[in-house]
């Protein structure tokens, strides 16, 4: 054998040895990973639960999606807690594993998140609706309140508190959401101008932190954690109990809609109404883009104030702006309420022929979106992608925003409502984790679009996502000072910009209350670091 042949054989042997060594290491590491995966469920199963852990495919599949229907991450297990100690024990167990554990925890209420925020890949989803706490405790007095589970639905709270002639002061438009879910964001609706968001109407919280500690929080006790968790996107703790402020509940609602073709008049009237003390109890608005035959397709329950005038109205496919108002009352107040409503409406500059109104019960008004849900479910149109975009727009920028977005970007009929209404910043507590524009009044603009599966048209997912991107790029390019509500970003730098001067405090609170980044991985704010010894 020649020298060159010997060298060639040596090189082949060396290559073979390296490949075998690599495969051996890979197999060792793979077996190590499999060992970890098999051991972790075993250690969890030994924990003293009153509830149970589910590992079956049906349970995992159910919590791997959300209302947004765009992201799908499978957890390792689902915890169905019966007590707060089940949640605390689970998180403390993972925390004690230290940085070597890859496990994360996502609290899931009714699964109404949009971007996978209630999901976790390979971690544990906590089914908050299974949390069995003592029944709602309602305190009636000078400062009435109700104590509820973090997994309780707002619709159930409404029905229970009404038995005492009481109700929470601030709502979301959709009531089939959990207390912990909305308080982790803000909870905004047409009452926010008057009472602030739901997070401004909470007295106390019970929190399970990222170290498994169970803490009672209020403005007097554990104050920093209390404010951090409100609007904190689940980053600092899981809300297991909340004390919600109540007020005397009305029995009826006078529900009104009027139309504007002039955006300046529309916003001027909205801003005037939210500054008046007792004009209306609920003020919202929405945009109607490029629709004809509008009044014939209004709502069958709404009646035109003047049917003759209304019959002559023609939208001509213009972009219109609807002001939606509600006045709460009891039967014995009807005459006074009618006079007040008429007086306030006489000061507005809507199109006279488009005054539509109706009277409904308080429950029917608050739970109105559920009626639409039932209809959509019956048609198989509820479980579709929902690429929603929610923005807070400074008052000083709302006109340029509307001109460019409704005039240039969103020019065709939207496949879902576009809400637009102002709120008073004075009703928001700046100590919470929520970030809002730095102006006394700002607008919520919500593009609540549904995508038609398999469509390549304007109602398809890709078109809607592209439209959302153009809106966000316009806001950034023009430096409008817009903040996302229910925010979603891809990089930590984008999150830093979002939080602005709150970012450093937000980071520090994360370190203080969830040092191993166990909680709410679906928000994608902080990346969990894993170390191996």
């Amino acid at each position: 054998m020649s020298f060159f042949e010997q060298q060639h054989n040596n090189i082949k042997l060396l290559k073979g040895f390296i490949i075998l060594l690599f495969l051996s290491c890979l197999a060792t590491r793979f077996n190590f990973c499999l060992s970890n995966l098999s051991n972790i469920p075993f250690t969890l199963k030994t924990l003293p639960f009153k509830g149970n852990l589910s590992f079956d495919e049906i349970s995992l599949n159910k919590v791997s999606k959300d209302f947004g229907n765009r992201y799908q991450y499978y957890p390792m297990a689902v915890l169905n807690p019966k007590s707060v100690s089940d949640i605390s024990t689970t998180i403390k167990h993972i925390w004690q594993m230290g940085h070597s554990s890859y496990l994360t925890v996502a609290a899931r209420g009714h699964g109404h998140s949009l971007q996978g925020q209630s999901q976790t890949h390979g971690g544990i989803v906590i089914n908050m609706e299974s949390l069995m706490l003592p029944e709602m405790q309602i305190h009636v007095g000078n400062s009435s309140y109700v104590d509820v589970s973090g997994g309780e639905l707002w619709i159930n709270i409404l029905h229970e508190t009404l038995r005492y002639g009481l109700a929470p002061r601030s709502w979301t438009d959709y009531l089939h959401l959990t207390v912990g879910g909305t308080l982790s964001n803000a909870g905004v609706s047409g009452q926010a101008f008057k009472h602030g968001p739901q997070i401004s109407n909470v007295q106390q919280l019970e929190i399970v932190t990222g170290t498994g500690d169970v803490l009672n929080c209020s403005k007097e006790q554990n104050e920093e954690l209390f404010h951090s968790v409100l609007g904190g996107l689940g980053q600092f703790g899981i809300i297991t109990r909340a004390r919600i402020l109540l007020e005397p509940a009305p029995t009826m609602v006078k529900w009104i809609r009027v139309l504007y073709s002039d955006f300046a008049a529309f916003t001027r009237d909205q801003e005037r109404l939210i500054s008046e003390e007792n004009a209306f109890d609920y003020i919202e608005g929405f945009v109607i883009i490029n629709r004809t035959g509008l009044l014939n397709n209004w709502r069958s329950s709404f009646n035109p104030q003047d049917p003759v005038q209304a019959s002559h109205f023609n939208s001509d496919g213009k972009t219109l702006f609807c002001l939606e108002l509600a006045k709460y009352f009891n039967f014995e107040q009807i005459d006074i309420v009618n006079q007040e409503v008429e007086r306030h409406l006489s000061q507005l500059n809507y199109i006279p022929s488009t005054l539509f109104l109706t009277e409904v019960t308080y429950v029917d008004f608050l739970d109105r979106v559920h009626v639409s849900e039932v209809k959509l479910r019956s048609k198989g149109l509820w479980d579709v992608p929902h690429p929603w975009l929610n923005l807070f727009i400074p008052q000083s920028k709302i006109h340029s925003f509307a001109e460019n977005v409704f005039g240039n970007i969103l020019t065709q009929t939207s496949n879902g409502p576009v809400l637009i209404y102002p709120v008073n910043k004075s009703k928001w507590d700046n100590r919470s984790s929520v970030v809002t524009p730095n102006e006394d009044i700002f607008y919520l603009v919500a593009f609540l679009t549904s995508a038609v599966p398999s469509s390549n048209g304007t109602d398809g997912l890709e078109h809607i996502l592209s439209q959302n991107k153009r809106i966000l790029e316009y806001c950034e390019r023009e430096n409008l000072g817009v903040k996302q509500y229910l925010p979603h970003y891809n990089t930590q730098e984008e999150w830093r910009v979002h939080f602005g001067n709150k970012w450093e405090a937000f980071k520090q609170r994360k370190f203080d209350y969830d040092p191993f980044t166990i909680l709410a991985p679906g928000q994608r704010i902080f990346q969990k670091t894993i170390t191996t010894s």
Side-chain angles (χ1 to χ4, degrees), residues 140-155:
V140 180
N142 292 330
S143 180
S144 299
Y145 60 81
V146 58
D147 286 331
V148 298
S149 163
E152 190 62 81
L153 296 179
W154 285 98
I155 184 64

Side-chain angles (χ1 to χ4, degrees), residues 281-327:
D281 298 291
Y282 165 99
I283 298 171
E284 283 196 10
F286 54 90
V287 186
I288 303 166
I289 299 170
N290 195 26
R291 288 193 183 174
T292 56
L294 176 69
L295 297 186
N296 294 327
N297 295 297
W298 197 242
R299 270 181 184 258
S300 58
S301 58
F302 278 80
N303 298 311
Q305 178 77 1
D306 187 333
V308 176
Q309 272 201 16
S311 66
H312 290 100
F313 176 77
N314 191 338
S315 63
D316 294 325
K318 297 175 186 173
T319 295
L320 297 173
F321 306 95
C322 174
L323 176 59
E324 187 169 32
L325 307 167
K327 185 73 174 175

Side-chain angles (χ1 to χ4, degrees), residues 399-434:
H399 292 277
S400 55
F401 177 89
E403 182 181 353
N404 282 275
V405 173
F406 305 135
N408 298 322
I409 299 176
L410 193 66
T411 56
Q412 301 184 36
T413 300
S414 174
N415 199 35
V418 179
L419 304 183
I420 179 167
Y421 58 92
V423 293
N424 294 310
K425 190 179 177 74
S426 62
K427 303 294 183 180
W428 296 60
D429 194 328
N430 194 47
R431 292 171 293 181
S432 77
S433 292
V434 178

Side-chain angles (χ1 to χ4, degrees), residues 30-42:
F30 181 67
N31 289 332
F32 173 77
C33 292
L34 286 178
S35 174
N36 268 359
L37 284 169
S38 59
N39 286 336
I40 288 170
F42 174 76

